[in-house]
Every structure is written in C-alpha cells, then in structure tokens.
Amino acid sequence: MARTRRSSGLNVPPPKRAEDQLMRTYRRIGRRTLQLLTAEVIPAVAEGNAPRVAENLKNVQGTIDQEFDDSWIREEAEKSGRRVNRTNAALFYGALAAKARIRIVGAPDSPIPLGRVLGTRGPRVIAQLNFQPQILIDGFVDQNIRYISTLRAGITEAVGDQIAAASVLGSTTGAVTGEALVSFSQPEIAERLLAQWKKNGVPSRIPTRRIKKNGKPATITLENHANLIARDQISKLNGQLNKTRQTSAGIAKFVWRTQQDDRVRDEHEALAGKTFGWEEGAGGLIPGEPI
C-alpha cells in the first residue's frame, strides 16, 4: 500500500442512509411518549388532579425506561454502527482503488467482498490494513447509550414543567399585557397541551452539563433531540473510521470539506480547502467530530 503515502486523503462522507435510519429509530421514543401522555397524563390534567398527574408522569417514565432500555439502544446502535462501517469501507476502498489505479480484491477489515463491487482497472491488490473497526463501533454504541439514556431522563421533567406553566398561564392570561383576563378550564388546558405536543413535539430537557451558555438546561423537542444525537454520532463514527482507515493505509493528510449549506459554521467555512495532518487535525478536530 506504499503507493498511497503521498495522497492527501480520500473523501468519504457520512452515510446518509444510516443517519436517516438511526433518526427514525430514535424518533420512535417520541411517538411512544406521545401515546402514553395522551392516554395517561392528559386525562389527569383535564381533571386538575395534580397528584395523579405526577403519578402518571412517573408511570410514563417507567414505561419509556423499560421499552427503550440500554439493551434496546445497544442493539439498535450496534446495527447502525455496522451499517456505517460497511458504507465507509466500500467508499474508502473504492476511492483508494481509483486514486492508486489498482483493483482491490479483498480487505480483512471490510465485511463486504470488495472485489465484487469495485470495477477499477489496474493491478489486483489485496488490501492489508492494521485496523479493527469493531473497537470504534463499540465506542459508538457506548456513546449512544449515554446520550439516549439522558434523553429518556429529560422527558418527564420537561413535560412536567410545561404542564405546570400551562396551568398557571391558563388562569392568568392577559394579566401581564393588561388585556381582559381570560381563564381556561382544566379540560381546555389539557386540550391545548395535547394540540401543542402533536404540532410541535413532546419537549425534552438537555442536561446542564451539556449547555455552554447561561448554565441552564435547555428544552427542545424530543424529535429534534433524537435527530441531533443520531446525526452527531453517525458523523463522529464516520470521521473516526476515516482517520483510522486512512492512517492505516499510509495516508497522512486530509483536505477539510464542508457540507456547503447554511448550517456550516463560520470557523469551519474558514477551514474549507485547507490541508491538515490526520494526527494533529484542524485545531485538534477531525471532520465529523464537532457536534
């Protein structure tokens, strides 16, 4: 594989299909939570029964913790990690074969028969890399368990705060603006809450330790939180696979590329087109690592 040592990296983007699949998987938590809230919590809110609301929220939390426990996360994340590795391997070896003008007929770290899918012309080469992708996949699984377990834990706290705020505001609407005071009944408050959750999504609380501004927990929708975790983790795993595969093949450098959309940060736009070493990265970062 010495012919690749002068190369400046190979473009292996995050696998979009694996990202979409993991997002759909994690969004199941939100759909199930909405079902449980509709069946158990909303009736208690309509009654104005605060102790029952608290008890049913606790029951909802227990059900979510049981149905989407760490073993469920591990199984789903393991499947997703293997998908990312398969795609990364195929793209990497395909790009490597094209760049080095060789035909790769096998690779011990790849779970697919590369010789059947790569049609690059040139000498036949069996790729031998000192690389064990399962180590990175295991780390990916552990991180998913960590983040999804915190997502689970933040659901009922955020929902409880929203219910409390809705109940207070429902009885004092207009007091701040000076307009005529409007008071909603408990059934109306329950109906408005349910409509809000169906339209905007069930809220989720992000722990304080993950918030850099103001030092307070942030509340976003459960679906957006799940999507963020899936995108971030897929991107990080793909970046780690890129670094390890390429350095194992003797590729020492990479060129920073962006997604070229309106979500690209200014500091990342400034890196676009520049070359960095895999070991030191771009200020300690490799593509895919920043959340």
Side-chain angles (χ1 to χ4, degrees), residues 117-140:
V117 297
L118 302 180
T120 306
R121 294 182 179 179
R124 293 168 63 87
V125 174
I126 298 178
Q128 298 285 344
L129 301 185
N130 182 21
F131 175 52
Q132 295 180 333
Q134 190 58 47
I135 295 175
L136 297 180
I137 294 173
D138 290 343
F140 167 81

Side-chain angles (χ1 to χ4, degrees), residues 7 64 291:
S7 174
I64 293 298
I291 189 168

Side-chain angles (χ1 to χ4, degrees), residues 1-5 92 96 129 244-251:
M1 306 303 294
R3 298 178 61 182
T4 66
R5 290 188 178 277
F92 167 75
L96 181 61
L129 301 185
T244 310
R245 272 203 173 93
Q246 296 199 29
T247 54
S248 295
I251 300 171

Side-chain angles (χ1 to χ4, degrees), residues 33-34 37-38 41-42 45 57 158-160 162-163 190-203:
T33 301
L34 181 58
L37 293 174
T38 303
V41 175
I42 287 298
V45 174
L57 274 175
V159 169
Q162 202 169 77
I163 291 172
E191 184 178 343
R192 290 163 66 87
L193 273 171
L194 183 58
Q196 179 179 337
W197 293 337
K198 287 182 177 179
K199 179 180 179 181
N200 300 324
V202 174

Side-chain angles (χ1 to χ4, degrees), residues 74-214:
R74 181 175 299 280
E75 180 180 354
E76 296 298 334
E78 177 73 28
K79 289 189 294 186
S80 182
R82 289 197 298 266
R83 290 190 195 104
V84 174
N85 181 50
R86 284 196 299 268
T87 302
N88 183 276
L91 292 175
F92 167 75
Y93 285 111
L96 181 61
K99 195 157 187 116
R101 296 183 181 179
I102 57 178
R103 177 176 172 80
I104 298 176
V105 295
D109 78 293
S110 175
I112 60 174
L114 292 164
R116 300 179 185 176
V117 297
L118 302 180
T120 306
R121 294 182 179 179
R124 293 168 63 87
V125 174
I126 298 178
Q128 298 285 344
L129 301 185
N130 182 21
F131 175 52
Q132 295 180 333
Q134 190 58 47
I135 295 175
L136 297 180
I137 294 173
D138 290 343
F140 167 81
V141 170
D142 291 341
Q143 284 292 88
N144 275 258
I145 291 174
R146 175 188 171 195
Y147 288 129
I148 295 299
S149 64
T150 59
L151 177 149
R152 284 190 328 237
I155 296 172
T156 53
E157 182 184 359
V159 169
D161 288 348
Q162 202 169 77
I163 291 172
S167 297
V168 171
L169 293 174
S171 61
T172 60
T173 302
V176 176
T177 63
E179 300 174 357
L181 189 66
V182 177
S183 180
F184 295 104
S185 66
Q186 284 300 132
E188 288 173 328
I189 291 173
E191 184 178 343
R192 290 163 66 87
L193 273 171
L194 183 58
Q196 179 179 337
W197 293 337
K198 287 182 177 179
K199 179 180 179 181
N200 300 324
V202 174
S204 175
R205 179 66 52 83
I206 301 179
T208 305
R209 66 178 180 274
R210 290 171 58 192
I211 304 302
K212 294 183 179 180
K213 295 183 179 179
N214 303 323

